[in-house]
Amino acid sequence: MEKLLKELQQAELERQTRRYFLQTLGAGVGGLGLGSLLGSCGYSSKEKIAAAPLVSADPMNVRMPQFAPKVKQVIYIHMAGAPSQLELFDYKPELEKYHGKDCPAEFLEGKKFAFIKGVPKMLGPKGQFAQHGQSGAWVSDYLPYLQTAVDDVSFLKAMYTDQFNHAPAQLLMHTGSARLGRPSLGAWTVYGLGSENRNLPGFIVLASGGKQPDAGKSVWGSGFLPTVYQGVQCRTGGDPVLYVSDPQGMNRDIRKQTIEAINEINKQTYEEVRDPEILTRISQYEMAFRMQMSVPEVMDVSKEPRYILDMYGVQAGEGSFAMNCLLARKLVENGVRFVQLFDWGWDTHGTSEDGSVEVGLRNKCLASDQAVTALLKDLKMRGLLDETLVVWGGEFGRTPMQENRDGQVLPYSGRDHHLEAFTVWMAGGGVKKGFSMGETDPLGYAGVKDRTHVHDLQATILHLMGFNHEKFTYPFQGRNFRLTDTAGKIITPVLA
């Protein structure tokens, strides 16, 4: 009761604010916020205002993109910490010749690194490279399973970014800005397209590796978009979503009546203040109720055939990256628009054996390679790969130099953060198969041909989903914002 009284007092204080006054001037002002919620990328101003009184409008309704899309859903696999492209995909035999020699001066002059000081030694690649598939893609022995699927993959080998620290680089990769407060790629996708499954969130996140990404949950947040579009993190053990089960002593009918009563109050409040976030709250209460049945069912792999579990390398009841890959297939199969996988632990500086490129990186590959490849083959086998885009990568690359933290030689082989060059790959609908684009210099330091920026990758993903990244916007603080900000171009050579 005391909590309820405090909420009533807070509501009364909010009614005395300037914001409340402006919101209650009428649909011409208060309706603007709701209008943007109903789709600023496709409605005219008059349509927005006319739509304002419609309390029943569901922000997750399916909406048409700006043009015919190539894919319906995205699975984005982010290896948090940044895997070394020089051990996995970017074969540099010339770098082997320079192993142990002083780094060339031109790689250091005017450059900033996260940890390297002074003149470090060059570090030759640790993986054994060979060409695979009909495409002849170079992949190292760190990824023996992916070697069998390269003819379904498009590699971008000269990606670059603006940030060399984990958190801002992850934010830039997923929100288009190194600063907090922008919507994530998944949130933009669901905002633009809605959700095909009314019983599941349109944007689901699965994390592994024991820790969250360095940038925290902001990398799947909604920023200034209505919060209904933010990613919903699910767990692979216990309740998939915290508090989704009925509390002890409360059955489903009682909970339904409770939610209906709360939402009736919310609707009355919305009629008074026209705050679009109230529609979000209504939608989320209703979604939470439906999720009680749908989420546990779709997250249950007990009915999967044994050969599928073996193909992914999944152990029943085990929360792992492999399990998350299998769940990603089940989620897109059930109409989830955007599935984000984060796997922590790919930072290999050489400060420890587990954090080295010869041991730590190889172990991370052993724990993930089979499952990623199984996901591609499983999607293809079910006819889902043609309508699904799979993206794999980190937030930046690794240096061709051995890290010498604070000028001291480290005990294990490691590479510092590097923004000049890294590899990202895509597979699925709308992208070429068995294709490689971009080239770095002979030592793998920087891109010299067909360089692609993080914003270019984002523009390309939106294009495949049916959006012009320059016209897919949301009004906020006096201007129209977009995922790619003021940059980005579609990577047309990679398009099928």
Side-chain angles (χ1 to χ4, degrees):
M1 181 61 71
E2 181 180 352
K3 184 177 179 180
L4 180 59
L5 289 173
K6 288 182 178 179
E7 289 180 357
L8 290 172
Q9 290 171 354
Q10 178 67 24
E12 184 59 33
L13 290 172
E14 289 175 353
R15 290 172 187 271
Q16 300 174 26
T17 64
R18 180 173 57 182
R19 179 183 179 187
Y20 177 78
F21 170 73
L22 292 172
Q23 288 172 332
T24 54
L25 287 178
V29 176
L32 293 178
L34 177 61
S36 64
L37 177 66
L38 296 175
S40 66
C41 57
Y43 290 91
S44 69
S45 297
K46 290 183 180 180
E47 287 173 323
K48 293 175 189 176
I49 294 172
L54 300 177
V55 175
S56 61
D58 189 336
M60 296 301 287
N61 281 340
V62 174
R63 289 180 290 280
M64 295 297 294
Q66 294 168 337
F67 50 84
K70 297 292 185 180
V71 293
K72 293 172 56 179
Q73 56 261 334
V74 175
I75 299 174
Y76 196 122
I77 305 170
H78 185 103
M79 302 319 206
S84 170
Q85 76 283 2
L86 295 167
E87 265 65 50
L88 305 181
F89 307 113
D90 201 10
Y91 179 43
K92 295 298 169 185
E94 193 71 15
L95 185 58
E96 295 180 15
K97 301 176 184 178
Y98 278 80
H99 178 77
K101 296 181 180 181
D102 286 349
C103 177
E106 60 266 29
F107 288 179
L108 304 173
E109 292 173 354
K111 304 293 185 180
K112 292 179 66 177
F113 299 94
F115 297 102
I116 285 177
K117 303 292 183 184
V119 180
K121 302 293 185 182
M122 302 302 288
L123 178 63
K126 296 299 179 181
Q128 299 297 314
F129 280 83
Q131 291 180 283
H132 299 277
Q134 294 183 352
S135 62
W138 288 97
V139 180
S140 83
D141 61 339
Y142 278 43
L143 300 169
Y145 287 92
L146 188 64
Q147 291 173 356
T148 67
V150 292
D151 287 338
D152 286 315
V153 171
S154 277
F155 294 96
L156 301 174
K157 292 193 173 183
M159 285 289 299
Y160 68 102
T161 182
D162 304 331
Q163 303 293 326
F164 62 65
N165 286 321
H166 294 295
Q170 290 168 4
L171 285 170
L172 180 64
M173 179 64 74
H174 294 284
T175 74
S177 172
R179 298 181 178 181
L180 296 168
R182 298 289 184 89
S184 61
L185 174 58
W188 277 108
T189 300
V190 181
Y191 159 65
L193 297 175
S195 177
E196 291 188 331
N197 190 324
R198 311 307 302 144
N199 299 321
L200 289 170
F203 178 15
I204 288 182
V205 179
L206 300 167
S208 56
K211 292 184 180 180
Q212 301 283 8
D214 298 80
K217 298 182 179 181
S218 296
V219 288
W220 61 79
S222 59
F224 47 70
L225 291 178
T227 52
V228 70
Y229 301 122
Q230 70 184 5
V232 175
Q233 185 177 5
C234 291
R235 306 185 305 163
T236 52
D239 281 346
V241 179
L242 290 175
Y243 313 117
V244 73
S245 298
D246 291 323
Q248 188 174 1
M250 176 178 285
N251 60 36
R252 189 165 173 79
D253 290 337
I254 296 175
R255 174 165 275 197
K256 181 179 180 181
Q257 294 171 11
T258 302
I259 291 175
E260 289 175 347
I262 292 171
N263 276 349
E264 183 58 38
I265 296 172
N266 284 332
K267 289 176 183 178
Q268 293 176 14
T269 305
Y270 171 76
E271 292 292 347
E272 295 178 11
V273 302
R274 289 288 195 267
D275 184 348
E277 274 298 298
I278 296 174
L279 291 183
T280 292
R281 189 184 308 164
I282 292 171
S283 176
Q284 287 174 329
Y285 269 118
E286 293 173 346
M287 171 64 75
F289 180 71
R290 295 193 297 269
M291 282 169 59
Q292 284 189 286
M293 299 294 289
S294 58
V295 172
E297 180 178 348
V298 77
M299 301 288 283
D300 181 12
V301 301
S302 63
K303 296 180 182 178
E304 291 289 325
R306 183 69 252 174
Y307 79 91
I308 290 291
L309 300 178
D310 292 341
M311 184 170 74
Y312 281 86
V314 166
Q315 299 298 323
E318 175 186 69
S320 63
F321 175 80
M323 176 68 79
N324 289 352
C325 285
L326 174 54
L327 291 174
R329 186 269 291 168
K330 286 174 62 66
L331 289 168
V332 297
E333 196 174 33
N334 281 273
V336 175
R337 185 76 69 184
F338 200 100
V339 181
Q340 181 80 63
L341 303 189
F342 281 101
D343 187 53
W344 184 89
W346 292 79
D347 199 16
T348 48
H349 289 278
T351 54
S352 66
E353 185 177 54
D354 195 47
S356 66
V357 291
E358 69 261 59
V359 177
L361 178 60
R362 189 178 287 275
N363 288 339
K364 290 300 292 184
C365 290
L366 284 173
S368 62
D369 179 38
Q370 178 180 348
V372 169
T373 307
L375 175 61
L376 293 178
K377 294 183 176 181
D378 197 8
L379 290 170
K380 187 175 182 179
M381 180 173 61
R382 297 168 190 272
L384 289 171
L385 190 58
D386 289 340
E387 61 184 37
T388 304
L389 177 67
V390 181
V391 184
W392 183 101
E395 60 266 30
F396 44 62
R398 314 303 296 203
T399 60
M401 304 88 81
Q402 162 80 44
E403 182 173 324
N404 62 341
R405 183 161 299 194
D406 298 323
Q408 301 298 313
V409 177
L410 296 175
Y412 299 93
S413 298
R415 303 184 186 274
D416 202 354
H417 306 169
H418 195 46
L419 51 78
E420 297 285 350
F422 63 107
T423 299
V424 169
W425 61 255
M426 298 188 290
V431 299
K432 291 178 180 177
K433 298 179 179 180
F435 180 72
S436 183
M437 175 184 171
E439 183 180 332
T440 58
D441 62 66
L443 298 183
Y445 184 87
V448 294
K449 181 181 178 182
D450 294 331
R451 299 174 76 220
T452 49
H453 187 266
V454 166
H455 287 314
D456 302 334
L457 177 64
Q458 294 161 347
T460 305
I461 293 172
L462 289 180
H463 173 80
L464 292 169
M465 298 296 287
F467 291 100
N468 181 334
H469 73 105
E470 294 181 341
K471 297 181 179 180
F472 185 36
T473 63
Y474 188 89
F476 178 66
Q477 292 184 340
R479 79 172 177 94
N480 288 334
F481 281 81
R482 69 189 209 213
L483 172 65
T484 52
D485 198 30
T486 59
K489 61 183 183 298
I490 298 168
I491 309 171
T492 52
V494 83
L495 301 179

